[in-house]
Amino acid sequence: MSRLRPLQSHIKKILLTVITLTFVVTGSFVGWRQYSVGQQEVARVLTAQIRIAQSLMPSLLLAHDRRLRAMAGDLAGRPDQEVLARVKRECLRRDPFDICYVLNPQGRIVYISREYDSYQGFNPSHMPHVKEARQVSAVFQSVFSKRSVVALKYRLNANLRLIYERDIGNILPALLHLEKGEIFDRQSLVLLTSEGVAAYHPDQNLVRTRHHLAYDMKNMQGPNSRGLYSYEYQDKRYYAVRVELQTPRGWLLYLQVPARPLMITAVKEIALQLVEMLVLLGLLTAAIQFILRRFFSQPVQDIVDALARYEPESSYPEVLQPRKSGVREFARISQAINDMARDVSLSTERFRRLVDSLDALVYVADMETYELLYINRYGIDLFGDITGKLCWQSLQSGQTGPCPFCTNHLLIDEEGRPQPTHVWPFQNTVTGEWYECRDQAIPWTDGRLVRMEIALNITESKQAQDALADEKERLAVTLRSIGDGVITTDTAGVVTMINMVAERLTGWRQTEAVGRDLHEIFHIIHAKSGEPVENPVDKVVATGQVVELVNHTVLIAKDGTPLSIADSGAPIRDKNSEIVGVVLVFRDETEKNRLQEQSIKAQKLESVGVLAGGIAHDFNNILTAIMGNISLALTDTSLAADTAKVLEDAEKASVRARNLTHQLLTFAKGGEPVKESTNIASVITDSADFVLHGSMVSCRYDIPDDLWLVEVDHGQISQVVQNLIINAKEAMPDGGEIMVSCSNVPVGSAAEPALKGDSRFVRIAIRDTGPGIPAEMLTRIFDPYFSTKEEGSGLGLAICHSIVHKHDGHIAVQSQPGQGTEFVIYLPEGKAVQKKVVEEEAATSRPARVMVMDDEEMILNLSRQMLNRLGHEVVLAHGGQEALALYQESLESGNPVDLVIMDLTIPGGMGGKEAIGELLALDPQAKVIVASGYSNDPVVANFRDYGFAAALVKPFQLEPFSRVVNKVLAAGQGEQQG
Amino acid sequence: MQRRWIAGLLVLLALTAAGCDQQEEIKIGLAINLSGRGGAAGEHIRDGALLAVEEINDQGGVLGRPLRLLVRDDQNSDAGIKKAEEALLAEQVVAVIGHSYSSNTLKAYPLVTGNDTLMITAYTATTKLSGKDDLFFRTAIDCVMYGQKTAALFRQKGVTSVAFLMDMSNPAFVLDYLAQVKKNFQGDITTVAFESRDKVDWPKLSQELLAVSPDAVMMLTESSMTGVAVQYVRNQGFSGPVIATIWTQSPELIRIGGPAAEGMSLVTFINPENRRADYLRFADTFQEKFQKPASARASRAYEMVYILAEGLRQAEKVDAYALKKALLATEFESIMGRLRFDRYGDVVRPVYEVLVRDGRFVNGGEIP
């Protein structure tokens, strides 16, 4: 809103403006009028003057024309001599510088004014001033006088022509005289020929030099309505009147006045009139101002002053004194104002009482300036009387400008029209209380739109709502965070909530699942039958009880993944114990089930192992008797060849039986390998041929002759080879080929990083031409219980891996689907085999006293026979106690036992493992060989650690038995043999 | 409120002052014969110069400043020359174009150049101003060249004897010209001198001229006098070649000489059949403005003004010495062809034989 000013100031301003405009308009009009009149006067005077000049001009220019014309008329038809005589006389009366000359028929001058008689005979007839038809020529420089002239021509008679060169300088005196009567300052005449050449000009040089004056008269304009021309000459503006002469035709006569003096004169006159007018207007203004002040602005000012003093709160206020102005109309206005003031006062009071009685904050604020225009008693009690202050400063705290949550923009639309009431909850930043605010844009008393807010305190109900919401949130968080999957449904089975674990197990996100039927997201079937399981919701709703899912329930996730789950459903009841929904709680049992199955499988294997171990022990003892006796029998040289052959076959079968036993033991218990330096080639070929016998799979070998010996447990490595060959064979059910290749690997040449070091290895590669192993399975094939075969135990390759690593070796696999599979085994090189052989050969047999301890009678008998065959005396003992007693007895008798062979374990009694300690306690020099069917027993594998001199692995034959016995007897220390 | 009125008034005053602020004019003078004997020929010079100045000012002037041409009539008299030059020097013109006769130029030369004012002319051939490192420039060739070419024309026409009519009102040119012809022509030369400013007995003069029966008549006279003279020579029955100089190359010759001038030869560097586009445009404009054809004198004046304007544009400042330096350093392309001053302010241009044929000038070819 523009700044308001007092009425008197307005009136003064308007009056001044009107007077000024009146002065300017009137002044302009007067000025224009004065100027116009001035110009008209100039035009009138100049026109009158130029008419005089115009009338004079022919007589001035053609001064002798009439006389010469009359003469020419008189001379027509006269002889030449008479004509010339007359011309000479008449020409004597010519003006100064005028020239007469007569041309003969040839155009030559036959007479010329005396001063120029040397031009007699000169022919000017071709010159324009002679040749042209017009009576008066253009201005030109005379050949004779060299002055500016015009030529007049007269036919004298048939032969002669008179040319009269009129010096235009001769018109000068008359025109100068005429100019002396000038009315305007520096007025002057200008005469231009039809070519624009100056024929008269105050500057005579222009005339003398025949200056083309029309060229210099720039920006020619006119004539205007007053007949005035205007142009610039030498940078000065002129006004002029112009007339065209009839004779000479086309000549222009100007009477010009410089514009500047005219303007100065006009301005002076205009200025004088304007001053007079200004004085008059000033007086008029003062008078009008006095009248307006006395009878209008002063009474109005009185009313305004009274209204300014008006207190709306006062009861029935008397605003004005009605008769003070002395003007009836103003008295009536005063009375009316007084009446209105009383009405306003009553209305205001009613409104105030009404709004102040509200139990809510009511305030009104400007929507642009945020100035508080009104606040009710409730607000004043809270914030004080903050009317006139800014709402964001007074009603809120911590605001540096209009509140960011201000709703003003919601109260009006883009075109500034009020919108429906905006209702919103808000926590006041000063009181901390919650209010339900009802904001509205309303038109204020001055017409502008303002913000009105009615704020009702809702703190208590808000706190109750928040507590409820917190509780709901806590419950939701608990449910979503619980370790088991939780799904809640309504009684119709529509999902209402699903927690995070349930999301993971079902594959459905909560946003997807809520609102869907439980069947869609919780698809459960029986693990074994694949039939759908009864919907637990239905069951719970039907029974009203907690229900458990049947065993072997499988949940089919969204992506089709089957998960074994355990589940229970329970009803959700409302406060009236009515069932309003069902909650399902379930967990993933897949891993748990898998571990259980593995545990069961391991327990089974362990049982089989124990069983195999037990059988093998007894079997070994039996085999020991068989093999021992066969070997004893074969020592009989009297045997028929056929018999010997039969016995040898039996022995071979026994050996294979022994190996099988050995494998059983290894499988059953694992255990440390009993290593010896071995040529692996025979182990490989025997094992492979054994496995492949009778199958459609052939085997090729690539084994160099200089293949190094390896330090291995013959049985365990044989088992490894057999497992690998079996796998290869089973991979090629329709037949195929297995390629076994061996090579020496020098120090540092092993391809496997795990084998770097200073050892040398023998590399064994077994490759089949089967379908290969998928890449995702390659990393798992050595895992226990991992099998791709229906009936596989999942232990074969795990045992291979275990055995090879116990040999400080390495096993790896390479396979490409469709390109077969290759297992590569690295085994450490064996040592000092040749030396041992030499030593063995060097060992000699000498009669000795040997004690054999075993619980098996047939072993004792066999051992006695074999030792006797070797020439030794035998003492038999059936257990550890007996052996110790017999040994001590032999020591005391002075016939000590030289060697003791003790079974490692004696069921129900003291075995070798327990007896060796006591025996060595009796005789630290005692030589004791441990014998056992458990070749992989730690005591057998590491017999020296237990005090034994050597170890014998049952079943044994005569030859290895004698070698070990002889060696121990021959040396202080023995060697293990089996 | 009062302040607003004052501010408005100040703005109005400033605008008015700005409107009045015009660039200072560059004044050049033109001092020629306009009212003395042969003054009609001077009209062409004046009008050509006026047209050039008007065109240059319409194009924005020189360096934003308008040119002002001050025309003074030397009246072909010593007093008139002095008066005209003093008036121009008082106006502090930067250069004076003038005069129309060599003698008048020689008289004005010390006065003008001695006052550090540049002088330039197209109507002065005297060799007395040749080879001087001074403030004098000319776009006309000097008498040395005229002498060679006139002698060559004599030879070309098979002339062995020539009678020279010499107007001694311009002795500097006339005598110089004669001397240079004599240097190059081995035939017989007779001379008849007169003073055009005095009363001339034309019959007697023509008889004297032809008394020796020359093969040719050579007129060292200005155009109007040549027009008169050639009538008397022809009246005497002389039918041989009548040859005149560039001094005569003006419509006045034809206006006054009439049929008697037919067949005359003029030795001049002005090609009357100039077909350059800029020359034709100039000729058309001249005809429109002054209602008469452009003459050789007018075109020379027009050329000089443009050369001066271009020199002023190139000059470091507006004074005679800066203008001289710029004129010497610049090559000009004028309506009459390319032009460059030598170190003395002189020029070399081709010389033609111009013939009067059917009442007008035609090019008879360059004189070898």
Side-chain angles (χ1 to χ4, degrees), chain A residues 678-698:
Chain A
T678 305
N679 184 348
I680 195 69
S682 60
V683 176
I684 292 169
T685 53
D686 287 351
S687 302
D689 291 344
F690 173 71
V691 171
L692 297 175
H693 182 72
S695 75
M696 297 169 66
V697 177
S698 62

Side-chain angles (χ1 to χ4, degrees), chain A residues 73-343:
Chain A
D74 294 344
L75 293 175
R78 299 289 181 179
D80 292 355
Q81 290 302 321
E82 185 183 343
V83 169
L84 287 172
R86 175 73 181 274
V87 168
K88 286 177 186 174
R89 283 199 305 274
E90 290 294 334
C91 284
L92 291 175
R93 296 169 61 186
R94 59 191 163 86
D95 288 335
F97 305 115
D98 288 356
I99 303 170
C100 288
Y101 49 93
V102 177
L103 306 182
N104 66 10
Q106 289 74 38
R108 296 186 189 283
I109 296 174
V110 293
Y111 166 74
I112 189 167
S113 301
R114 189 166 47 83
E115 306 95 294
Y116 310 107
D117 58 3
S118 64
Y119 284 93
Q120 287 268 1
F122 178 70
N123 185 349
S125 62
H126 54 273
M127 294 175 71
H129 68 278
V130 178
K131 201 163 61 174
E132 285 174 353
R134 58 181 174 175
Q135 166 67 15
V136 182
S137 73
V139 173
F140 64 97
Q141 188 183 34
S142 170
V143 176
F144 316 112
S145 68
K146 299 168 287 185
R147 295 172 62 89
S148 298
V149 299
V150 292
L152 306 171
K153 299 185 287 282
Y154 305 94
R155 168 61 67 180
L156 297 173
N157 63 12
N159 295 324
L160 303 176
R161 284 179 291 165
L162 171 64
I163 308 298
Y164 188 90
E165 288 188 359
R166 172 67 172 165
D167 192 306
I168 60 172
N170 284 327
I171 66 173
L172 186 66
L175 293 180
L176 284 175
H177 181 75
L178 196 63
E179 283 187 339
K180 283 181 183 172
E182 67 175 13
I183 294 179
F184 300 107
D185 186 25
R186 284 173 274 170
Q187 74 175 63
S188 59
L189 279 166
V190 174
L191 179 61
L192 300 183
T193 70
S194 56
E195 291 79 19
V197 172
Y200 174 77
H201 193 275
D203 181 355
Q204 283 300 296
N205 276 329
L206 300 181
V207 179
R208 195 162 50 245
T209 60
R210 299 160 303 285
H211 190 78
H212 196 280
L213 195 61
Y215 177 81
D216 289 346
M217 295 164 78
K218 309 291 183 186
N219 301 323
M220 175 72 76
Q221 294 172 355
N224 61 16
S225 59
R226 291 170 288 277
L228 284 177
Y229 290 83
S230 69
Y231 52 83
E232 289 173 6
Y233 173 66
Q234 294 186 342
D235 300 331
K236 290 178 183 171
R237 176 149 290 276
Y238 286 84
Y239 290 112
V241 291
R242 187 178 84 180
V243 293
E244 183 179 346
L245 303 185
Q246 293 301 313
T247 306
R249 184 171 297 281
W251 286 38
L252 298 172
L253 181 63
Y254 290 85
L255 181 54
Q256 65 180 17
V257 181
R260 186 177 170 79
L262 281 184
M263 287 296 292
I264 292 171
T265 305
V267 167
K268 281 179 181 173
E269 290 182 10
I270 292 167
L272 184 62
Q273 291 195 16
L274 289 179
V275 168
E276 291 171 358
M277 196 166 69
L278 196 60
V279 171
L280 189 64
L281 285 173
L283 292 172
L284 187 63
T285 304
I288 292 172
Q289 196 171 2
F290 171 77
I291 293 168
L292 285 174
R293 182 180 176 79
R294 172 68 184 83
F295 295 104
F296 180 67
S297 58
Q298 187 57 51
V300 171
Q301 183 64 47
D302 292 342
I303 293 172
V304 170
D305 292 343
L307 288 173
R309 293 191 299 271
Y310 166 60
E311 296 288 340
E313 288 77 11
S314 64
S315 300
Y316 306 109
E318 184 73 11
V319 179
L320 291 164
Q321 298 173 9
R323 294 188 174 277
K324 187 182 177 186
S325 65
V327 178
R328 187 172 61 190
E329 286 79 2
F330 282 112
R332 287 183 178 178
I333 290 171
S334 300
Q335 186 58 50
I337 289 172
N338 287 336
D339 294 343
M340 286 169 62
R342 276 192 295 275
D343 291 346

Side-chain angles (χ1 to χ4, degrees), chain A residues 618-626 629 855-865:
Chain A
D618 293 337
F619 205 62
N620 271 340
N621 286 339
I622 295 166
L623 278 177
T624 302
I626 294 169
N629 286 314
D855 60 322
E856 288 287 343
E857 197 62 41
M858 56 183 176
I859 299 299
L860 290 173
N861 289 334
L862 176 64
S863 300
R864 187 181 61 205
Q865 289 181 44

Side-chain angles (χ1 to χ4, degrees), chain A residues 392-630:
Chain A
W392 52 268
Q393 284 180 335
S394 307
L395 294 176
Q396 306 296 340
S397 67
Q399 304 300 324
T400 57
C403 306
F405 43 81
C406 182
T407 59
N408 278 358
H409 63 287
L410 301 172
L411 307 184
I412 53 174
D413 63 12
E414 291 177 351
E415 295 175 359
R417 291 176 301 203
Q419 295 299 293
T421 303
H422 176 66
V423 182
W424 59 298
F426 175 68
Q427 186 176 23
N428 186 273
T429 52
V430 175
T431 64
E433 299 282 288
W434 278 92
Y435 295 87
E436 181 188 80
C437 302
R438 306 180 70 84
D439 298 347
Q440 193 175 0
I442 60 169
W444 195 233
T445 51
D446 55 7
R448 59 180 153 161
L449 276 178
V450 297
R451 163 197 182 84
M452 182 186 76
E453 182 170 280
I454 302 172
L456 187 65
N457 193 322
I458 56 166
T459 303
E460 289 183 6
S461 62
K462 176 71 178 170
Q463 286 171 345
Q465 285 178 0
D466 289 349
L468 188 61
D470 288 348
E471 186 59 33
K472 282 182 70 175
E473 180 64 18
R474 193 177 304 115
L475 180 62
V477 170
T478 303
L479 282 174
R480 288 187 61 77
S481 305
I482 204 164
D484 290 346
V486 177
I487 298 175
T488 61
T489 70
D490 58 16
T491 52
V494 175
V495 175
T496 55
M497 194 282 293
I498 174 169
N499 76 347
M500 283 188 289
V501 176
E503 282 182 342
R504 179 169 54 78
L505 295 179
T506 62
W508 290 83
R509 301 190 62 77
Q510 176 163 353
T511 52
E512 302 170 327
V514 171
R516 291 178 182 269
D517 194 278
L518 182 67
H519 291 290
E520 285 187 66
I521 64 168
F522 193 67
H523 180 47
I524 48 177
I525 59 172
H526 193 276
K528 297 193 182 301
S529 66
E531 292 296 321
V533 174
E534 184 184 8
N535 186 344
V537 174
D538 297 340
K539 201 170 178 179
V540 170
V541 172
T543 62
Q545 301 293 320
V546 176
V547 299
E548 301 283 341
L549 280 182
V550 297
N551 290 335
H552 307 299
T553 300
V554 171
L555 170 67
I556 306 300
K558 188 179 180 184
D559 61 358
T561 305
L563 298 170
S564 296
I565 60 167
D567 181 30
S568 66
I572 304 172
R573 297 179 186 276
D574 61 12
K575 56 186 179 184
N576 299 320
S577 295
E578 295 292 329
I579 296 175
V580 294
V582 175
V583 56
L584 298 178
V585 181
F586 56 99
R587 72 183 71 86
D588 182 9
E589 299 270 294
T590 306
E591 185 63 18
K592 178 183 170 186
N593 291 345
R594 191 177 70 80
L595 291 175
Q596 281 182 347
E597 287 174 4
Q598 285 184 5
S599 175
I600 292 167
K601 189 182 282 186
Q603 287 172 3
K604 285 179 180 175
L605 286 172
E606 188 177 353
S607 301
V608 171
V610 171
L611 180 64
I615 292 170
H617 180 260
D618 293 337
F619 205 62
N620 271 340
N621 286 339
I622 295 166
L623 278 177
T624 302
I626 294 169
M627 291 174 70
N629 286 314
I630 291 173

Side-chain angles (χ1 to χ4, degrees), chain B residues 323-366:
Chain B
L323 179 57
K324 173 188 175 181
K325 188 178 174 185
L327 290 175
L328 292 177
T330 308
E331 182 170 302
F332 301 93
E333 186 73 33
S334 82
I335 58 170
M336 289 193 288
R338 189 157 293 182
L339 178 144
R340 176 184 278 281
F341 295 103
D342 67 12
R343 56 182 294 205
Y344 302 114
D346 295 327
V347 296
V348 174
R349 291 179 134 169
V351 178
Y352 307 99
E353 179 193 12
V354 169
L355 301 170
V356 178
R357 187 176 293 160
D358 298 331
R360 62 188 190 91
F361 295 111
V362 296
N363 193 342
E366 185 177 347

